[in-house]
Amino acid sequence: MAGTQGSAGGSAGKGGGGRGGARKKQMSRSAKAGLAFPVGRIGRFLKKGKYAERLGSGAPVYLAAIMEYLAAEVLELAGNAARDNKKNRITPRHIQLAIRNDEELGKLLGDVTIAAGGVLPNIHSVLLPKKSKKHAASEEM
């Protein structure tokens, strides 16, 4: 009975623990997708959160990629804001300035409150002192 043992000689399925077979190096789903964010953890949270009865295998990869992109975007803008203020360390204030000065991020995070973020510097034009005609004429020359 030659075919009753299954695949005795080669690597047997997922484990790869067959006799003498070269075991394939384990690779995380994050590494396969080229991401830094944890695909497995996000998948676990999606399952535990009961957002849906079933979960596709690509959903946590896609969500991890989106989250990584948004984090990189905010960090880049916040780093620029920190550099503008001659600081080496990003603070919540820099994150606030980065988000509120960017149109798309401001729209996405419009209802979000950032602790210790402060507000954007803004003085309403009505409150500014009016230029008199004498000052305006002297400034033109």
Side-chain angles (χ1 to χ4, degrees), residues 28-137:
S28 68
R29 288 190 285 171
S30 298
K32 282 180 188 173
L35 298 172
F37 271 49
V39 173
R41 185 179 300 172
I42 291 171
R44 187 177 75 235
F45 290 154
L46 285 173
K47 286 177 190 170
K48 278 190 178 178
K50 298 287 185 189
Y51 297 105
E53 280 185 34
R54 298 166 60 164
L55 185 67
S57 61
V61 179
Y62 190 74
L63 184 57
I66 292 170
M67 290 170 63
E68 185 171 324
Y69 168 74
L70 286 173
E73 190 74 20
V74 169
L75 278 174
E76 182 183 351
L77 293 172
N80 294 342
R83 197 173 354 101
D84 292 345
N85 291 326
K86 298 179 180 71
K87 302 280 191 241
N88 291 325
R89 191 173 294 160
I90 295 174
T91 64
R93 174 69 177 159
H94 300 136
I95 296 172
Q96 173 83 314
L97 291 172
I99 289 172
R100 302 301 170 214
N101 285 324
D102 186 79
E103 185 181 339
E104 292 174 341
L105 282 175
K107 191 173 182 182
L108 178 67
L109 303 171
D111 297 332
V112 173
T113 302
I114 297 174
V119 295
L120 284 182
N122 183 28
I123 301 173
H124 201 280
S125 58
V126 175
L127 300 173
L128 292 171
K130 295 175 185 170
K131 289 187 176 179
S132 63
K133 291 180 182 177
K134 292 178 184 177
H135 289 296

Side-chain angles (χ1 to χ4, degrees), residues 14-25:
K14 194 174 182 179
R19 288 186 222 145
R23 187 155 185 229
K24 195 174 181 186
K25 182 85 170 87

